[in-house]
Amino acid sequence: MIDYGVISGCANPGYLVDSTISVINGGGVVYGDAVFPGFAVSHYGIIDGCHTYGQFDGDRAACGIVIAGNEICVDDGIPNGESLSVLVKGRVWAVMLSDEGAPREGDSVMISDGGLITSLSERFIQAPRGWVFTGDYEKFSHDLSLVGVWITQ
C-alpha cells in the first residue's frame, strides 16, 4: 500500500509523496544484485516476458524509482528474481545521503552511485530528463535523508 504515506503523513523510502496521478510499472523482476525502495534503477530488458530492473548503472538510463511493496521494511533489499514495482511518473520519496541539505523545489535531480539521489554535482553520474525535486525533505536516519522526486516524463 504505497499511498500509506499520503494517508498517514509519514515519509519512507519508496512511498508516494502525495496523491498526484502516478504511473507504476508493476510485475517487474529484479535482475542482478538486490535493489531498495527509494533508489533509482535501470531497465535491463525483457527476459521470459518480464521487464527486468537492476541497480542503477550509469551506462544505462535511469527508468524510475523502486516503490515500497507489501514488505514495507526491506532491510536486505529486494533480491534477484523477486518481483518489484517501479514508479516511472509521479512523486515519490527517494533516498539521499544526509550530508546534503534540502534541495530547492524545481531543481534537476541527479543520480549518484547505487541509485542514490543527489543535488551535488561532484556526485553526479546521470541527470534524467524530467526528474525534479518537489521541495519535500525529511531526515530519515543519521546517515540518510528522504527527498521528494517528481518524475514528469
Side-chain angles (χ1 to χ4, degrees):
M1 188 166 121
I2 60 162
D3 62 346
Y4 178 76
V6 176
I7 295 166
S8 67
C10 70
N12 277 310
Y15 278 23
L16 296 180
V17 171
D18 59 25
S19 58
T20 303
I21 294 175
S22 301
V23 177
I24 297 168
N25 287 348
V29 176
V30 176
Y31 177 81
D33 293 334
V35 298
F36 296 85
F39 284 69
V41 290
S42 296
H43 187 257
Y44 281 78
I46 298 175
I47 299 174
D48 295 331
C50 293
H51 285 275
T52 57
Y53 302 95
Q55 287 189 356
F56 169 72
D57 179 346
D59 294 331
R60 297 175 177 268
C63 65
I65 295 177
V66 177
I67 58 172
N70 291 335
E71 286 288 320
I72 292 174
C73 296
V74 184
D75 294 333
D76 298 325
I78 305 167
N80 182 44
E82 291 295 317
S83 63
L84 81 161
S85 296
V86 177
L87 185 125
V88 296
K89 189 172 186 178
R91 298 174 189 236
V92 64
W93 287 106
V95 178
M96 172 186 269
L97 293 176
S98 64
D99 64 350
E100 298 186 40
R104 289 187 321 221
E105 179 179 0
D107 280 357
S108 293
V109 168
M110 293 179 276
I111 303 173
S112 65
D113 282 335
L116 284 167
I117 301 302
T118 186
S119 61
L120 301 176
S121 57
E122 59 269 18
R123 292 184 177 158
F124 161 80
I125 292 178
Q126 190 177 111
R129 186 172 163 214
W131 292 33
V132 296
F133 289 108
T134 65
D136 297 292
Y137 176 85
E138 296 281 336
K139 202 78 157 152
F140 186 67
S141 68
H142 68 282
D143 57 351
L144 296 176
S145 294
L146 297 178
V147 291
V149 172
W150 185 13
I151 303 174
T152 63
Q153 50 179 296

